[in-house]
Amino acid sequence: MKIEKYDIELNIDFRKLEYTGVEKITLAGEGDTLFLNSVGIDIHEMSSGEKPIKFTINSKDETVNTDHRLGQTETIEVKFSAKVSETLMGLYVAKYGNEHMITTQFESTGARQAFPCVDHPDYKAVFSLKLVIDNDLEAISNMPVASTEKAGDRKRVVFNDTPRMSTYLLYIGVGKFDSIHRKMGHIDGYLTAPKGRLLSNDFPLVEADHVIAKYEDYFGIKYVLPKLHLISVPEFGAGAMENWGAITFRELVILVNDKTSASVRHRVSEVVAHELAHQWFGDLVTMEWWNDLWLNESFATFMSFKMVDELHKDWYMWGDFFMTETAGALNGDSLQNSHPIEAEVKTPDDIAQIFDEISYGKGASILRMIEGYAGRDNFRNGIRKYLKDHEYSNAKGSDLWESIEKASGMPVSRIMEAWIRRKGYPVILASRDGDAVKLRQEQFLLDGSSTGETWPIPLTIVRENETESMLMEDREMAIPAAGFIKLNSDFTGFYRTIYDSSLLASISASRNRLSGHDLWGLANDLYAALQSGRIPYGYYMGGIMSIWDTADPLVLQEINSQMNSLYLLKPHSKSVREAAMKFASMHLERLGEKRSGEEINISIARAALSMTMSLVDGRFAAAMAENFSRYFSLDPDIRQVVAISYARTSGDFDSLKETLARCVTDEDRTKIIGAMGWLGRPEALGRALDLIRNGQVKKQDTGRFYISAASCPDSREFLLTNFDFMVRQLKEVFVGSRVPSRTIEATVPLIGIGREAEMRRLLQGYTSPDLQTGVKKSLEGLYVNIRMAKAIP
């Protein structure tokens, strides 16, 4: 069965939040049995010409089943009605104050919640959309408006037909909007938000303009649609969504003004570039099935950092990539309960669970490794061939590897198959052995165990006068020691390295000759070795202290993050407090006060160091807290530290609530909500939780409070007591999303410390499939943290 076209008309009651629909589906597939997907929709009738079609609904499989055999080409008409959803999936209502807009989130299986369809990425079709709405409303979809007609006392908005695309990429938006317009070559670009909420300059549009030009050059294919909307949505379960020509965003990652912090400005640019990469890689060419989701997400992740780095060299974007993508992927993939990049998925719950650090961060890191192995030009030429061969169609991961292999003449397919079809990754144990450096690989796991598996590892060896490349395919090998400095140049490879004491000492002595990327990798590998029990605390701290005087902002942030994590694991450890205080104070003194025109990453690093200092030094926290009364006049980069310091030292819920009510931007709202998790006292935390119960916190932001409460040692008992409420609340809001499972995964490893038995008993009650990944990974993370805490003096 093949879908040629959906001709859809929705008659939307904006006030009652309900709608009726009529769709005509043109199909081809002589002799095939007609079926559709549908969830929560009242289907009134189905017909083919004058002939009614009998149907049954299978709620479990989310299908509409018939005995109707299709002709060679046939048009099926379906009449239906539905409510606009109150969740953040499907066709749903996004509220702001006393107003609302109607918007959509269809990835991965949300289209079937809005209209009957074959909700499968391989069933691409043309969409012809008409919306009947009130005269004072506007409508947005993937394509420009073709015409507006009178429809009784209302109006019918008719959109131009889309190219062939998958159901999950259709967008429908209805409301009252403000927009900024920018002409971008042949493209009309719009930055759009609900009326009165476009609190932004044109920075996102300018970034989009420059990124599109770079993608058109890199891919060798023009952006194919005549317009592009960047739409700010006030309530949004995802961060952003690549609907073709109508990209949606949380306000936090699209709106930029003079009060936007440096880190959020980075994030906005990267997210815009990520979603724009999808306009080619995901929209123009789409995976055949969700097992290749990573192909979409990892490529968009890799390309976004690559392009923003080219636009803003002083932003050090590959450093952000290591911190936000590679580090999370290395951590997640060192759990027993990880999954292969190319994962087997069958149900909507299966699909939701793979929107994780493996599909995004590991996949992107592997692509970076393969680009380094195959060569940049060969890699790009392979991408161009892949996109041209499969445009407006679907493809598999193997199609991409074959294209890069043909362009490079290197065994890319064989290497990629080894990395994407199984979970995990290797650690290389490096030791000095006379005139050689002996290398041995084994799987790295945080629980300290290992397996007999080996990987084909594209090695890069940093020597005194050159960087050498070779492929390590056996379990052991030896390389000459002469001129050896370290493995994994610029951390291009997705593997860890643990050095013996003599090699670690020589690397530390050569640190001034190494890049920030190299030192970041060394520090990150040391911490992971400590987590897994492969090295003792003293060996770790000695290694870290030998490089922690570096001025590189990326390395500063990595070591600072480790000091922060050690404190949260064992807040009463004198050795941790002393080390963290020594490190943070040393660099804060060196950086001094913020200076006009300083590098953006220096400001970000100063804020991170201040956060750690406020955790381990009560006097520093009290001094920071004194600034809370002038919160809105503070430098945006330091506001989070001030808010958390105030919450910890005062326990004053009322002032935080009052400040929350005065917040204009989502960035400030999330900072105050996060600070409330650090209140510590049960009574104050309970009042903060009441804001969630009463709908005074945006649904999308509730997880920020829970994760902050898990971080705060004094708030963990409260969160454990209210754990069941947290899970139920998230499940009600984030339907068909990984958010509930991911929040369990993020909170349990901290709140369970010292409460292991109670935590395990509680988690045994969560048996639904959508939570199982989070439950299993959280218990594994808890075990790792408990063992690590015992190792810290």
Side-chain angles (χ1 to χ4, degrees), residues 5-68:
K5 185 175 184 179
Y6 292 93
D7 192 327
I8 304 169
E9 178 168 306
L10 302 181
N11 191 318
I12 298 175
D13 190 321
F14 190 76
R15 274 118 194 121
K16 292 183 178 180
L17 296 176
E18 59 189 24
Y19 61 98
T20 60
V22 178
E23 63 177 335
K24 295 179 180 178
I25 310 173
T26 304
L27 311 95
E30 189 168 6
D32 291 340
T33 301
L34 172 68
F35 73 93
L36 299 171
N37 295 111
S38 177
V39 177
I41 298 171
D42 292 325
I43 300 176
H44 304 304
E45 56 183 83
M46 294 176 61
S47 61
S48 175
E50 299 296 320
K51 180 184 176 183
I53 298 174
K54 293 182 179 180
F55 61 89
T56 58
I57 305 291
N58 186 323
S59 298
K60 181 180 178 181
D61 293 338
E62 302 183 352
T63 55
V64 182
N65 299 313
T66 77
D67 293 326
H68 183 77

Side-chain angles (χ1 to χ4, degrees), residues 75-244:
T75 299
I76 305 298
E77 183 172 271
V78 185
K79 295 181 179 179
F80 59 96
S81 62
K83 298 282 189 183
V84 175
S85 177
E86 293 278 349
T87 71
L88 303 180
M89 180 62 74
L91 182 70
Y92 73 92
V93 58
K95 297 177 180 178
Y96 53 99
N98 295 320
E99 305 293 332
H100 66 270
M101 68 176 287
I102 290 173
T103 187
T104 54
Q105 172 61 23
F106 287 164
E107 189 178 37
S108 53
T109 57
R112 68 187 66 180
Q113 297 179 34
F115 60 96
C117 58
V118 181
D119 201 10
H120 186 302
D122 198 28
Y123 285 75
K124 285 193 167 185
V126 172
F127 289 83
S128 180
L129 179 67
K130 304 178 187 68
L131 300 176
V132 178
I133 59 176
D134 295 338
N135 290 312
D136 62 341
L137 299 176
E138 301 170 60
I140 302 170
S141 190
N142 308 78
M143 296 295 287
V145 174
S147 64
T148 301
E149 310 164 352
K150 197 169 170 54
D153 60 351
R154 306 174 80 215
K155 64 182 178 183
R156 176 179 291 105
V157 181
V158 182
F159 294 93
N160 287 325
D161 288 0
T162 70
R164 289 188 67 83
M165 66 183 197
S166 302
T167 49
Y168 77 91
L169 296 172
L170 182 65
Y171 180 71
I172 299 168
V174 178
K176 297 178 181 180
F177 302 109
D178 290 327
S179 293
I180 300 172
H181 174 259
R182 180 182 176 91
K183 194 70 177 175
M184 302 184 290
H186 71 284
I187 307 162
D188 282 305
Y190 302 91
L191 176 62
T192 298
K195 189 163 286 294
R197 297 185 72 85
L198 187 54
L199 305 174
S200 182
N201 52 38
D202 66 351
F203 173 82
L205 278 177
V206 173
E207 291 292 283
D209 191 356
H210 294 158
V211 168
I212 287 172
K214 284 194 168 290
Y215 282 152
E216 289 181 335
D217 176 64
Y218 188 90
F219 297 137
I221 298 173
K222 292 287 187 183
Y223 176 83
V224 299
L225 301 187
K227 67 92 175 172
L228 171 69
H229 270 90
L230 308 178
I231 306 164
S232 174
V233 179
E235 278 272 32
F236 194 26
M241 175 61 208
E242 66 265 22
N243 315 297
W244 207 352

Side-chain angles (χ1 to χ4, degrees), residues 453-464:
E453 292 198 57
T454 61
W455 281 258
I457 307 174
L459 286 183
T460 49
I461 304 163
V462 181
R463 296 190 180 276
E464 290 178 357

